[in-house]
């Protein structure tokens, strides 16, 4: 299907019988490094990718919000702004409903609107299609109500995270919504998830590209494994009497493990988090000094820690990282996002990107007999108004 604005506008017209008055976009993301650290008060370093959700809208005179998604056009959703907004069916609209409810709770005087969504972030593929949908909803509702720009990025991200937690039942951290709302083109975003502070790190060298390889193994973060990891981290922090694992270090977790305060599993989870927080800061320094080899080494170390200590990788992700590690022109590779499936990323020499993408896809097919779509991306801008 065509994905240009003209085609989108005409599909809006077919659905709602009138022209849209505006459009917004919100991107998906990959995380370069800093995995499973956000809900532990640590650092993350994601980029917004060149895959996004677009929302076209038209304000209504009444208090109704009608929402249609091009991905499942027959499942329309409707919200009455004056009634309690509860999750229900269709499922995809729960992300949107949660954001609308959150904006109202924040005191934003939203008006009715017709909204049409379309996206090219693979659904449930670990690239934050849900965060993109949430942020796009927020942007569209604000624009349609004549209040675009009135809710600061950090607040919008928090509202979207809450929507995901409470309306979609996914206990995610803040990373995905934050990068979708506040990413900057040509930059990776270092976020300190303890205090929310951000630093945009230039990531726009023409000789570098990020490859994203999709195992197409689906596993949502409402599925249990993610929540279990969270709990193990929180439990370790409680036992060690720190407010989050961000405040632990190698010595303190070794000691707590040695004297039986935390169990073996909690120790492994904590060792990943403590190590990953360090690796993220080191990776950031490496990026700033243009040391891609060092950055790549840290990516591999992050992957092995997620595989062995955090135990959130899978065979398919491990195989992609293995292939990358023996392919010329690859600086580093790792799983990205929550894990248990989804995507692996590789930081590669732009000149060799095509042949590396081919090596990944062919190697994957050779082992699993299934296709593994691979695409290249640069760091793009966070959410914004289109046209
Ligand atoms: C998912 C969550 C994020 C983060 C990552 C792991 O993407 O939505 O908040 O916890 O997993 O780093």
């Amino acid at each position: 299907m065509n994905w240009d604005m003209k085609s989108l506008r005409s599909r809006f017209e077919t659905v709602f019988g009138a022209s849209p008055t505006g459009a917004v976009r919100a991107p998906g993301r990959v995380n370069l490094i800093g995995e499973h650290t956000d809900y532990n008060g640590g650092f993350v370093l994601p980029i917004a990718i060149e895959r996004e959700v677009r929302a076209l809208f038209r304000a209504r005179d009444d208090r109704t919000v009608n929402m249609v998604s091009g991905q499942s056009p027959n499942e329309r959703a409707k919200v009455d702004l004056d009634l309690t907004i509860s999750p229900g069916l269709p499922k995809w609209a729960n992300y949107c409903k949660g954001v609308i409810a959150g904006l109202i709770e924040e005191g934003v005087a939203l008006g009715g609107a017709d909204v049409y969504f379309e996206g090219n972030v693979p659904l449930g593929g670990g690239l934050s299609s849900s965060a993109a949908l949430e942020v796009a909803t927020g942007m569209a509702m604000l624009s349609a109500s004549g209040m675009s720009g009135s809710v600061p990025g950090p607040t919008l991200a928090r509202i979207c995270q809450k929507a995901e937690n409470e309306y979609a039942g996914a206990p995610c951290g803040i990373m995905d919504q934050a990068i979708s709302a506040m990413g900057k083109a040509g930059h990776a975003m270092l976020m300190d998830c303890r205090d929310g502070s951000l630093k945009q790190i230039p990531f726009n060298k023409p000789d570098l590209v990020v490859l994203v390889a999709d195992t197409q193994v689906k596993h949502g973060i409402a599925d249990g494994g993610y929540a279990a990891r969270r709990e193990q981290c929180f439990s370790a922090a409680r036992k060690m009497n720190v407010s989050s694992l961000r405040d632990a270090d190698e010595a303190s977790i070794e000691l707590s493990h040695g004297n039986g305060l935390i169990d073996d599993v909690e120790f492994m989870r904590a060792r990943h988090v403590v190590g990953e927080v360090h690796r993220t800061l080191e990776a950031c320094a490496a990026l700033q000094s243009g040391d891609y080899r060092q950055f790549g080494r840290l990516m591999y170390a992050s992957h092995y820690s997620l595989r062995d200590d955090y135990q959130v990788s899978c065979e398919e992700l491990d195989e992609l990282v293995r292939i990358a590690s023996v392919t010329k022109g690859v600086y580093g590779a790792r799983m990205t996002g929550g894990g248990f499936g989804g995507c692996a990323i590789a930081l590669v020499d732009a000149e060799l990107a095509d042949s590396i993408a081919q090596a990944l896809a062919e190697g994957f097919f050779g082992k699993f007999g299934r296709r593994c779509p691979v695409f290249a991306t640069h760091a793009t801008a966070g959410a914004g108004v289109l046209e």
Side-chain angles (χ1 to χ4, degrees):
M1 226 172 359
N2 273 335
W3 165 249
D4 56 282
M5 286 311 288
K6 194 163 160 245
S7 313
L8 288 178
R9 220 176 287 122
S10 102
R11 291 203 278 281
F12 181 101
E13 282 158 10
T14 308
V15 170
F16 292 116
S19 299
T21 54
V24 296
R25 56 170 283 282
R29 64 95 188 90
V30 294
N31 189 18
L32 297 180
I33 195 163
E35 216 67 84
H36 287 278
T37 48
D38 60 354
Y39 53 84
N40 287 304
F43 292 94
V44 294
L45 189 66
I47 59 169
I49 58 171
E50 290 157 323
R51 295 289 181 108
E52 63 190 28
V53 170
R54 294 180 181 170
L56 285 72
F57 58 83
R58 179 184 179 86
R60 294 175 58 91
D61 297 332
D62 60 14
R63 304 283 298 151
T64 302
V65 180
N66 292 309
M67 295 180 289
V68 174
S69 158
Q71 263 122 325
S72 44
N74 300 323
E75 303 179 323
R76 299 190 173 204
K78 189 170 176 170
V79 165
D80 184 329
L81 292 172
D82 295 324
L83 300 178
T84 307
I85 302 172
S86 316
L89 292 173
K91 260 184 155 172
W92 69 264
N94 289 336
Y95 300 100
C96 312
K97 288 180 180 173
V99 173
I100 295 172
L103 286 169
I104 294 172
E105 201 180 296
E106 193 69 26
V108 183
L110 292 180
D114 293 332
V115 191
Y116 178 75
F117 299 97
E118 238 179 73
N120 63 358
V121 192
L123 295 183
L127 299 177
S128 295
S129 52
S130 57
L133 176 59
E134 289 149 10
V135 174
T137 303
M139 299 287 292
M141 288 307 297
L142 288 166
S143 297
S145 310
M147 280 180 298
S148 103
S150 68
V151 173
T155 310
L156 181 60
R158 185 180 41 75
I159 289 171
C160 292
Q161 181 199 9
K162 192 167 175 231
E164 180 126 2
N165 295 163
E166 294 177 5
Y167 279 69
C172 66
I174 188 70
M175 169 171 72
D176 307 345
Q177 292 77 9
I179 182 68
S180 184
M182 297 182 284
K184 189 171 168 199
H187 291 74
M189 188 176 88
L190 178 70
M191 181 172 188
D192 181 340
C193 300
R194 181 162 63 184
D195 62 12
S197 58
L198 304 178
K199 200 167 161 195
Q200 302 287 356
I201 313 291
F203 184 64
N204 56 355
K205 288 279 182 297
D207 53 346
L208 267 193
V209 95
V210 174
L211 289 180
V212 184
D214 188 353
T215 64
Q216 298 193 296
V217 176
K218 309 269 179 208
H219 182 106
I221 58 173
D223 289 356
Y226 183 94
R229 300 299 180 286
R230 258 177 88 103
E231 262 323 304
Q232 289 152 354
C233 290
F234 294 170
S235 161
R238 261 193 317 271
K239 291 179 181 172
M240 292 175 60
N241 202 23
V242 288
S243 56
S244 72
L245 287 180
R246 166 71 179 281
D247 300 319
D249 57 27
E250 231 179 281
S252 67
I253 60 171
E254 296 270 0
L255 187 70
S256 306
H257 183 229
N259 63 23
L261 192 61
I262 58 174
D263 64 30
D264 292 349
V265 170
E266 288 163 343
F267 174 63
M268 283 161 67
R269 307 304 187 238
R271 186 163 58 185
H272 166 73
V273 174
V274 167
E276 189 77 354
V277 166
H278 279 287
R279 279 189 290 273
T280 306
L281 291 177
E282 280 179 51
C284 197
L287 199 57
Q288 283 171 305
S289 64
D291 190 348
Y292 309 139
R293 294 206 176 280
Q294 171 64 357
F295 193 93
R297 277 192 289 272
L298 292 160
M299 289 175 81
Y300 287 124
S302 166
H303 183 79
Y304 302 140
S305 172
L306 288 158
R307 180 190 66 189
D308 302 335
D309 272 351
Y310 221 67
Q311 299 177 304
V312 291
S313 187
C314 65
E315 217 192 331
E316 290 85 349
L317 290 167
D318 293 343
E319 178 63 8
L320 286 170
V321 172
R322 189 199 63 75
I323 300 166
S325 73
V326 295
T327 304
K328 190 166 165 259
V330 177
Y331 292 105
R334 55 182 291 276
M335 54 159 276
T336 191
F340 306 104
C343 294
I345 54 167
L347 183 68
V348 310
D349 181 340
E351 269 190 9
L352 297 173
D354 287 344
S355 65
I356 297 167
Q358 201 180 340
L360 289 170
E362 282 174 2
F364 188 94
F365 190 87
K367 171 136 190 190
F368 301 108
R370 286 186 275 117
R371 246 172 48 76
C372 169
V374 182
F375 68 90
T377 188
H378 297 92
T380 187
V385 171
L386 277 166
E387 294 175 289

